[in-house]
Amino acid sequence: MGGSMSTEKLLPGTDRSYMALSGPSTPSKSTSFRLSADAVGATGGGGSPIFEELPMATIVSVSRPDASDISPLLLSYTIEVQYRQFKWHLQKKASQVIYLHLALKRRAIVEEFQEKQEQVKEWLQNIGVGDHTTIMHHGDDSDEETVHFSHEGSSRHRHVPSSAALSIIRPSLGGQQTVADKAKVAMQGYLNHFLGNLDIVNSREVCKFLKVSKLSFLQEYGPKLKEDYLLVKHLPKSIRKDDADCFPCPRFNFCNNNWQKVWVVLKPGFLAFLEDPLDTQLLDIIIFDILPSSSKISEEKVQLTHEIKESNPLWCAFRVSCGNRSIRLRTSSSNKVRDWVSAINDSVQKPPEGWCHPHRYGSFASPRGLTEDGSEAQWFIDGQAAFEAIASALEMAKSEIFITGWWLCPELYLRRPFQDHSSSRLDALLEAKAKEGVQIYILLYKEVAIALKINSSYSKRRLLLIHENVRVLRYPDHLSTGVYYWSHHEKIVIVDYRICFIGGLDLCFGRYDTVEHKVGDFSSLIWPGKDYYNPRESEPNSWEEMMKDELDRKKYPRMPWHDVHCALWGPPCRDVARHFVCRWNYAKRSKAPNQEDIPLLMPHHHKVIPHYMGRSEPIEISSDKIEQKKNLNRQDSFSSWSPSEDIPLLLPKDSQVVNVDDILDGHWKIHHLVQQTVASESLFSHQSAVEPMDQDLHVDDCMDDSMSSNLETDKTLSQITHSHKPSSVEWWETQERGYQDASTDKTAQVGPRSSCSCQVIRSVSQWSAGTSQAEESIHRAYCSLIEKAEHFIYIENQFFISGLKGDTTIQNRVLEALFSRILKAHKEKKCFRVIIVLPLLPGFQGGVDDGGAATVRAILHWQYQTICRGENSILHNLNAALGPKTHEYISFYGLRTYGRLVEGGPLVTSQVYVHSKLMIVDDRIALIGSANINDRSLLGSRDSEIGVVIEDKEYLESSMNGQPWRAGKLSYGLRLSLWSEHLGLHPGDISQIHDPIADKTYKDLWMRTAMENTLIYQDVFGCVPNDQIHSRANFRQKMSHVREKIGYTTIDLGVAPRVLEESDENGNVTSTDPLERLKSVRGFIVCFPLEFMREEDLRPMFHEGEFYASREVFY
């Protein structure tokens, strides 16, 4: 079949969505990872067959190259093949059918001979000599063509009579009127012979003839597009016994010992290279990504694939270029080249699903959830809630787990108190799943050791010791890539392509926290060893003795950690998984491209159902049916034979496929999400009023306007909202939350799982993911959403470093978008609010005045340059334009808490470190991810990041500045929970914040609470940063005074005196217990100190090492 001139075409008019031909289809089953040559029988040959039921073939037309030539062997037949919901066309010549017949006859003869050998062997064994008897096999059948049929019965049941083939050669015999009609009937008859027998259909010969492979009908990878043998040169030379028979003919020296024949499979999202159509060993894969835009000079459209001219006219070739890869492929005719070029380009560039077609915000992924496709999202506030959900998801893993992060600690406990949850330690969880056969892939950021102390080398060693099914890669190699400044900053956990978690939380020490944000844990019940973490005080030099304390718990507080995470189901989850697969494959090629002990593996098989079952609308699956599907056998996973040392390439799942488990009608059951923490008295922690609780298009014509959300009218909203819409307060108080205790005293840490429109966005480039161009869709999403905001913007972020359009240093334009939107609101005389919550100080080691704290000061410099200092700051420009009305539109805040470290010990305070990367717009849209607001995270060419834009589809009656407003269920609920925590509100007080921009909320509650809390902390602690310390000299004086008065303090002056001494206007001194003052603190919100260090140039000095680093590192 090597010289086959057949071509395969997509069926005209067929949609790439899965359309069932007759009722629901049985989910495809895959074989083990590596099949032996004789394990391809129908049902009993050791592997799953390609065809589980009989396909159908119809002769559509008959043609001949020359009307004057009546030779039957030159006739060409167009054959339409149909298998379940898959249809495709083949072009075959009569001579090829005859070759197929001869191959089947040869196979039948060999099979009959082998059956007789088995009978002889059995007879010899019965008489006692079978143990020493060797059955000789036919030497000509020892190559890859040896395939044993597996059905019981003799070879005659698989016989195709020669008379059926004879009629093809002599179609003139019979009573038909024309040769073409006779040939069509003859060919149809012959096809019916071998397509009526599963044994024959699943033979290697017929599978090659029909152009099918083990990948053809696996629905999780999308529809069948095109596949065939091609020649490639870029792969390491494999030992194949049939290489000498490569097409078109060995006498032309076509392969010249460097080219090899491989089976190439085109799917909507990738081009896969297999050694053989019946093999599942992945040799290579090209994952399609966004193509560079056409140059303005050339009007020619940029193509993924194009035909190339070879020096030898007998060679016909084309090139596929994607990302940083360019691969040349050869085939036997120019017609085949054109077919491949057309098929590939059509599959990747057709909007909106084409992966090379740029989507909204310039993202690699299109918006999901615009139809009922199973797109769902859920939010988590702080580490306790998120880690519990992640632990429960990991425990439910059946097939594979993907993890990547900036920092990962194998010894991290995902549930607390840790003594009661030893099995929830990350390494223990992964070990348990690996022993069950779950394949685990972990990508670690390989840091520059002299700059960071996250010790990814230790983490890798620990992880690889867990089990052979755990595979770990660290990337990048700094010397070979030249990447020293930038990092992999995504935080991703993906389980079985069903659920993924993204956001601000790494699986590492210091991130676990509760809504209480305790400063102490003297009895070490919640934060063991180095998990009692405060990077402002000290970064551990080693993480290997994790149970050993780094800080003196009697003297120094931990740094409480505030974060936001989210879970995604359905197509957005598969988009995130696709991003992980791209990064994994790129790192694998860079780290271990040719190691024989690290083979490329096929990703794991999932039992899925297609979107459509022959209906005009998406199908809905009842919970009863889902329960039946949940018990489907998963033993046919591709991973079942994966060697222990394998680091595979992973195929991405097609994002349009719905997993049965993805469409659960209720919540995805995660039990006991919020574990009850050990009760502690108020003197161990600050007891706040919050109780603890267990379309913007940047590429022209990329997407139809109907794909993007309309934030300016209510027409669409009225069509998709229910006729009865509960009030926002009513909904909040009655909302059922399956992940937590339903106490009316507790603020929600977990939102309801909601059907939403979601779009995955990211920051990647050539160095981080091997893409052909930098993608900055997170940056574009921020700017677009700000520009389109109608009433308010709420931002929480670890950094806030951005620039106006005249800024030549800072390149991201989030600040410009905010500035322009505020000016527009002022011009239109409309109420518009921007609230930004940031860390009070960068989370790096060293006091503001310490010699080794140049990084802290540098970040403060660029942040203050953005906010309020210099001609490019937003407050400077707004004050010039709006005067004193500036504070009506924008304000900045931080979070702070207090408590006692030990009973009888002093009161201490610490900032609550804001690490979330969140923006909520108009209570309808939430942007959640890993990206900071700075150039590092937003430009795409620097740090790699992941995020998601979540747009609500379910709405509640609320208000904006006293006017009726439909608030989104997810976004609105998230803001209420965050504000309740920050302001110290009980759920019964939620009505106070349902309107975020009204004066009674913004001024009388939010701003007033922040100012009062700030004054209390200043009076009790005098902690930094504050607006009274304007220089480093002021800071040194304050530090000296505190140490002289109290004896010791923290690095940020966070220790209160035993007694507060206050003087009245008459000079009378009174003594007050500082705890009495602190009882007036509500929540955690405080004002961001805009005057702190205003007299200092905080940039690194020439005598500091940071002076000689690129300043881009700090912003």
Side-chain angles (χ1 to χ4, degrees), residues 905-916:
L907 287 162
V908 300
T909 185
S910 171
Q911 70 167 327
V912 177
Y913 192 64
V914 179
H915 193 259
S916 41

Side-chain angles (χ1 to χ4, degrees), residues 176-195:
Q176 298 293 334
Q177 295 181 354
T178 66
V179 172
D181 290 339
K182 296 174 185 177
K184 183 176 180 179
V185 171
M187 180 63 74
Q188 185 68 62
Y190 181 77
L191 292 179
N192 290 341
H193 271 290
F194 72 78
L195 292 181

Side-chain angles (χ1 to χ4, degrees), residues 33-74:
F33 218 89
R34 182 74 172 174
L35 294 180
S36 59
D38 60 349
V40 294
T43 57
S48 300
I50 291 179
F51 293 101
E52 294 181 334
E53 57 192 60
L54 292 174
M56 295 183 294
T58 304
I59 307 301
V60 177
S61 63
V62 182
S63 61
R64 50 189 169 189
D66 187 348
S68 62
D69 193 338
I70 61 172
S71 173
L73 290 178
L74 295 180

